[in-house]
Amino acid sequence: MSAVEAAGDMPVFRIERRFAAKPSLMWRMWTEPEHVMNWFGPKGSTNVLIEHDFRVGGHWQGRTESPGMPPMFGLFVFRAIEPEIYLEWLHGFGDGAGRFVPAPFGPDIPAFITRVWFLPDGDGVTVRLTWTPHEPSAAEIEAFRKMTPGMTGGWTGSFDALDAYLAGL
Amino acid sequence: MEEEARLDRAFAALSDPTRRAILRRLSAGPATVNELRAGAALSQPAISKHLKILERAGLVEQGRAAQFRPRRLRRDGLGPAARWVKEMGRLWDGSFDRLEAYLGVIGVEETKGEDRGDPPKRETER
């Protein structure tokens, strides 16, 4: 399940799913490079790890390759690490050499704060992930405001309508 | 405040399945009210009401082809933020699917280990 919601005047992208795994195992899936590399990225993509400095302030750099698309270099900076409970990083796009570059899918797109909660759920774990723009400029705020449902509450069903909408662009 | 009201209108407009169907139809190209009616099995006043809501929300506009005035999507309606949402959905929906599949492989190994009372395979187990 995923949705776009509002927090203050900023949109929040949220996705949540329950997995049949203990929180301890799920934590390792997210924090040990040999595991992360096996699932992170859109369907059909592969990852090459460049740097994995797993501590607050440390960098993660990787190259994600998808068929028919130019490779994308991810550059993350870990901001909070609470084993088996919570993970937070600044999620940006890099040049493969440790420097941030604008997102490849459009202007007015800033870096994002990714927050991940690992919530015990019976004999499994529910992973809740949110993305919010990081220190957006005025132009970026304006771009994102077009997505927010105002201050009054959440809105689901976004992808249905967006897919239809984007198909016409 | 006015901006906020406009945003409320946009998302309220998108919250209705009939209006999403209209957007989907218009994403294939402009259409007149009559053409939209044929596809949706709705009365003309009902279609017009939905179109008015979509137009006020800034998602649809009227063309100028004579008296038929076909409706079309506004290209600037959602823009880069919509691409962002689409990319995020692609990344994380895809990643979660892959994670689920990967756990199916890893999980079996972990469970076997625990059943036999073996020590954890990795020192990083917390």
Side-chain angles (χ1 to χ4, degrees):
Chain A
M1 188 203 83
S2 53
V4 180
E5 302 169 337
D9 61 352
M10 279 288 103
V12 179
F13 173 90
R14 184 163 70 88
I15 181 166
E16 194 171 300
R17 195 181 296 189
R18 184 184 185 280
F19 295 91
K22 291 177 180 168
S24 57
L25 176 61
M26 184 53 71
W27 179 256
R28 289 174 51 196
M29 295 300 106
W30 284 74
T31 57
E32 295 179 8
E34 68 269 34
H35 291 310
V36 180
M37 293 292 111
N38 280 301
W39 63 263
F40 177 77
K43 282 195 178 69
S45 64
T46 54
N47 290 295
V48 178
L49 184 70
I50 298 170
E51 183 182 1
H52 186 268
D53 183 10
F54 190 58
R55 60 186 170 84
V56 172
H59 282 196
W60 180 97
Q61 285 191 78
R63 187 173 73 238
T64 302
E65 291 168 353
S66 301
M69 289 176 68
M72 291 209 299
F73 291 94
L75 175 54
F76 308 161
V77 182
F78 296 108
R79 289 163 51 105
I81 297 171
E82 293 174 35
E84 298 178 20
I85 297 172
Y86 180 73
L87 196 55
E88 177 181 317
W89 70 88
L90 175 64
H91 188 131
F93 295 88
D95 61 359
R99 285 180 297 269
F100 282 104
V101 299
F105 42 85
D108 300 334
I109 304 291
F112 302 90
I113 305 295
T114 303
R115 297 181 168 90
V116 190
W117 289 264
F118 301 84
L119 309 166
D121 187 346
D123 54 358
V125 60
T126 288
V127 177
R128 175 185 301 157
L129 180 145
T130 67
W131 273 39
T132 46
H134 175 60
E135 297 177 0
S137 69
E140 288 162 351
I141 289 172
E142 181 51 31
F144 283 107
R145 285 181 65 95
K146 292 181 175 174
M147 285 304 301
T148 61
M151 313 286 186
T152 49
W155 176 66
T156 55
S158 54
F159 294 113
D160 213 26
L162 282 172
D163 278 344
Y165 186 80
L166 289 163
L169 295 182
Chain B
M1 283 301 113
E2 206 230 318
E3 172 74 357
E4 233 172 87
R6 197 184 66 78
L7 289 165
D8 281 343
R9 284 200 297 274
F11 279 84
L14 284 167
S15 68
D16 180 87
T18 302
R19 290 193 287 274
R20 288 205 295 273
I22 292 173
L23 287 176
R24 213 171 288 129
R25 168 61 188 85
L26 293 178
S27 72
T32 64
V33 172
N34 276 337
E35 287 166 338
L36 290 170
R37 256 185 75 188
L42 284 174
S43 69
Q44 199 236 315
I47 286 283
S48 293
K49 191 182 128 214
H50 284 304
L51 280 173
K52 193 169 283 178
I53 292 169
L54 288 166
E55 284 165 14
R56 284 181 59 223
L59 298 171
V60 167
E61 63 189 0
Q62 290 188 17
R64 291 179 190 169
Q67 72 268 41
F68 299 110
R69 295 184 302 175
R71 275 25 175 230
R72 61 187 179 218
L73 288 181
R74 278 184 60 167
R75 289 181 178 277
D76 60 351
L78 294 173
R83 282 200 298 281
W84 171 75
V85 171
K86 196 178 168 72
E87 285 299 320
M88 290 314 95
R90 211 171 68 86
L91 170 63
W92 288 112
D93 283 331
S95 289
F96 277 31
D97 286 348
R98 295 177 64 198
L99 175 55
E100 209 158 26
Y102 181 62
L103 276 169
V105 179
I106 291 290
V108 170
E109 290 172 19
E110 294 285 323
T111 309
K112 273 184 195 160
E114 282 169 22
D115 285 349
R116 293 197 307 266
D118 290 350
K121 281 161 72 179
R122 288 173 216 284
E123 293 307 309
T124 45
E125 182 76 65
R126 291 171 177 95

